[in-house]
Amino acid sequence: MAEHKFPQVPIDYLVVISNNYSSYDITGKTAFKVKPRVCKADAFTNKIQFFEKMYTNPLLIAKDLRKLGRLFVKINTIPTNYILTKYEIKKEDIITGVFGPNCNQHAPLIRKKQKWYCPFCDPFSKDAHLKALKDFIL
């Protein structure tokens, strides 16, 4: 945005948990920083008001927003380096889902009562998804 002479706009974040049945607990040294940034879906509108109070001065007028929108459309390009094409991987060769922590062969696991369940080796795991998330990042 600075390259195109737009003012610096603050970038903020909010984590919204959409599952009404989920629960979360924020702990650690930075919990006081994280707690105001996490909410369930029913509290989302209240959190928007939290941000509106933080940022009271408008940075862009309607004309600037239209100009910015046109700029985004203009500079948007379709990616040309698809990783699957680059490494000659077929989409159907990618196995998705969460694998069992013990047998590590069967996917996807089944989510039951806030735990992952493997119908083949029969254990439950609370954190089997962490390995899948790390794999996704790679």
Side-chain angles (χ1 to χ4, degrees):
M1 289 180 64
E3 184 180 314
H4 294 278
K5 311 286 189 278
F6 284 97
Q8 187 174 357
V9 176
I11 297 175
D12 226 313
Y13 67 94
L14 180 64
V15 176
V16 180
I17 300 171
S18 61
N19 185 341
N20 291 333
Y21 301 106
S22 67
S23 61
Y24 63 93
D25 187 24
I26 301 169
T27 59
K29 294 177 184 177
T30 59
F32 70 97
K33 290 181 181 180
V34 176
K35 280 184 182 182
R37 307 297 182 161
V38 179
C39 71
K40 288 198 173 185
D42 59 343
F44 179 63
T45 53
N46 293 339
K47 289 294 180 175
I48 294 296
Q49 291 170 352
F50 165 78
F51 285 111
E52 286 174 340
K53 288 177 185 171
M54 278 181 57
Y55 305 109
T56 55
N57 299 330
L59 299 173
L60 300 170
I61 59 174
K63 180 181 175 183
D64 292 334
L65 290 172
R66 285 191 298 275
K67 185 177 174 183
L68 185 61
R70 286 192 300 273
L71 177 65
F72 285 157
V73 170
K74 182 180 176 183
I75 64 175
N76 184 35
T77 57
I78 298 170
T80 55
N81 254 358
Y82 292 103
I83 196 144
L84 297 179
T85 307
K86 183 177 179 180
Y87 294 104
E88 299 177 0
I89 299 170
K90 295 176 189 165
K91 196 171 185 176
E92 55 269 10
D93 289 341
I94 296 177
I95 302 169
T96 60
V98 176
F99 286 85
N102 295 331
C103 64
N104 207 15
Q105 296 176 19
H106 306 287
L109 295 184
I110 301 165
R111 191 81 171 150
K112 285 185 176 180
K113 298 181 183 177
Q114 298 182 341
K115 293 179 185 175
W116 294 102
Y117 171 70
C118 180
F120 298 96
C121 61
D122 205 38
F124 280 92
S125 171
K126 286 187 174 183
D127 60 358
H129 63 285
L130 295 178
K131 185 176 179 187
L133 288 171
K134 287 177 185 174
D135 195 42
F136 177 76
I137 289 169
L138 293 174

